[in-house]
Amino acid sequence: MDNLTVFTEFLLMDVTGSRELQVLQGMLFLVIYLGALTGNLLTVTVIVTDTRLHSPMYFFISNVALLDLGSISVVVPRAIVNSMTGRKTISLPECVAQILLYLLFVEVEFALLVVMSYDRYVAICHPLHYRLIITPSLCSQATAGSWASGLVYSAVHTGALFRLPFTKTNVIQQYFCEIPQILRISSSDVQLSEFVVIVVSVCIVLICFKFMFVSYVNIFSTVLKMHSVEARNKAISTCTPQLAILLLFLISGSVPLFSPIANKSSLRNLLTAMFYSMVPPLVNPIIYCLRNREINAALQKCSRDILKS
């Protein structure tokens, strides 16, 4: 089975048996993708063009926006094409590439969220030393380190997942190459090695989560001690969006980990996958625009400039 072709089943309301529902699913995916594309590109554009946002915090935010765009682009465009054309197959090399890139973008984003929590900790708890600690060189090194860790993790994870030929059915009960579904059709040796990788990953995540938890506890302790209401509100406006995105990231990431692996098509299975693969890239720009005062003000200024021109 070296030249195995993996078949992707479309799951929404037995959509494989209805051409109209396939097109409807494709249109829904297209709307979600265009929304995520617009929101993330707008976030990056505003940060790049507005000189007031040229700071380490917004540098990391723009990187997260690009990573969100990358993670959803790995999955959704192919699903849209499959829905519109009625195709139900994806080749093994494409499946490997899909999982490799998706893991890469997700892991790098998580690493940057850890870095961003430290950035906010220094900015709020040690403001006088902020420019001495959070330097452009440190930002570049942190970003490069995040990408390096993402490359190593995604390569190891994908290698462990595809190191042996599949021994079971080649039907995936999902609209993309989902890791739990790949495990379902893999041999017991692959499942054991994947289990080891997942255990190590969870341990690393828990260590990072402890670091972020301590950072945000110190942040909000410092904020509560501030006498100036304006300073307190400004500090909260820069922290709450990152905290909300972190919580959304952790919740969406735990969904495939703790959800039972589906053996047949179901609407619940489809909606679960849509939640963790599409919702964060779509919602994150909205969180930043609504909760971050500087980005909100920059967007309003940009809108006024467009209307004037």
Side-chain angles (χ1 to χ4, degrees):
M1 302 182 72
D2 291 336
N3 296 322
L4 177 66
T5 299
V6 180
F7 293 88
T8 301
E9 295 293 333
F10 295 95
L11 309 175
L12 182 56
M13 294 180 291
D14 193 26
V15 74
T16 55
S18 170
R19 188 74 191 97
E20 291 77 11
L21 290 177
Q22 285 184 355
V23 175
L24 182 62
Q25 176 181 273
M27 292 177 64
L28 174 62
F29 285 1
L30 180 61
V31 170
I32 293 174
Y33 181 67
L34 290 177
L37 182 70
T38 303
N40 286 291
L41 285 180
L42 185 61
T43 301
V44 174
T45 302
V46 168
I47 291 173
V48 170
T49 57
D50 196 320
T51 55
R52 294 173 300 176
L53 302 181
H54 291 179
S55 66
M57 181 180 72
Y58 295 106
F59 170 75
F60 293 130
I61 289 176
S62 62
N63 275 271
V64 169
L66 291 175
L67 290 167
D68 281 333
L69 186 57
S71 66
I72 197 172
S73 296
V74 169
V75 173
V76 177
R78 178 58 187 266
I80 294 172
V81 172
N82 285 352
S83 297
M84 295 301 187
T85 60
R87 293 181 58 189
K88 303 177 185 178
T89 62
I90 182 171
S91 68
L92 181 58
E94 289 175 314
C95 187
V96 173
Q98 196 172 71
I99 289 180
L100 177 69
L101 292 174
Y102 185 79
L103 286 175
L104 171 63
F105 291 131
V106 169
E107 202 285 331
V108 174
E109 180 170 340
F110 179 71
L112 284 179
L113 288 175
V114 176
V115 174
M116 291 166 71
S117 69
Y118 178 70
D119 170 76
R120 289 299 85 202
Y121 165 75
V122 176
I124 294 174
C125 299
H126 304 284
L128 297 179
H129 300 97
Y130 180 76
R131 293 187 179 276
L132 297 176
I133 298 174
I134 309 298
T135 61
S137 175
L138 180 64
C139 293
S140 300
Q141 292 173 6
T143 304
S146 298
W147 276 98
S149 64
L151 284 170
V152 172
Y153 175 77
S154 60
V156 171
H157 202 149
T158 307
L161 200 59
F162 290 94
R163 69 187 182 91
L164 293 175
F166 295 111
T167 58
K168 302 176 184 178
T169 177
N170 58 354
V171 177
I172 296 177
Q173 304 291 348
Q174 195 50 269
Y175 66 89
F176 68 103
C177 285
E178 184 188 44
I179 292 177
Q181 286 294 319
I182 299 297
L183 281 175
R184 184 179 64 85
I185 64 176
S186 300
S187 66
S188 57
D189 290 340
V190 172
Q191 293 176 5
L192 177 61
S193 61
E194 178 68 9
F195 177 76
V196 173
V197 172
I198 290 176
V199 170
V200 173
S201 302
V202 170
C203 292
I204 295 174
V205 168
L206 289 177
I207 294 173
C208 294
F209 180 73
K210 180 180 179 181
F211 174 82
M212 290 186 287
F213 179 78
V214 172
S215 296
Y216 281 112
V217 167
N218 289 327
I219 287 171
F220 284 103
S221 297
T222 303
V223 168
L224 292 175
K225 296 176 183 177
M226 292 179 177
H227 299 292
S228 171
V229 176
E230 183 180 355
R232 186 185 306 168
N233 291 337
K234 183 177 180 180
I236 291 176
S237 71
T238 61
C239 288
T240 51
Q242 295 181 14
L243 191 57
I245 287 173
L246 174 62
L247 292 175
L248 179 60
F249 183 92
L250 293 175
I251 292 171
S252 62
S254 64
V255 167
L257 191 62
F258 296 107
S259 298
I261 301 176
N263 294 318
K264 60 180 181 179
S265 302
S266 68
L267 177 60
R268 178 182 178 181
N269 189 32
L270 175 66
L271 293 177
T272 299
M274 288 179 63
F275 173 73
Y276 76 79
S277 64
M278 296 187 190
V279 171
L282 177 66
V283 174
N284 286 350
I286 299 175
I287 294 175
Y288 279 127
C289 293
L290 292 179
R291 296 299 302 166
N292 188 287
R293 295 193 302 178
E294 284 77 10
I295 293 182
N296 197 0
L299 282 172
Q300 293 177 3
K301 180 180 181 296
C302 183
S303 301
R304 289 194 297 268
D305 292 341
I306 293 175
L307 291 175
K308 289 179 180 179
S309 61

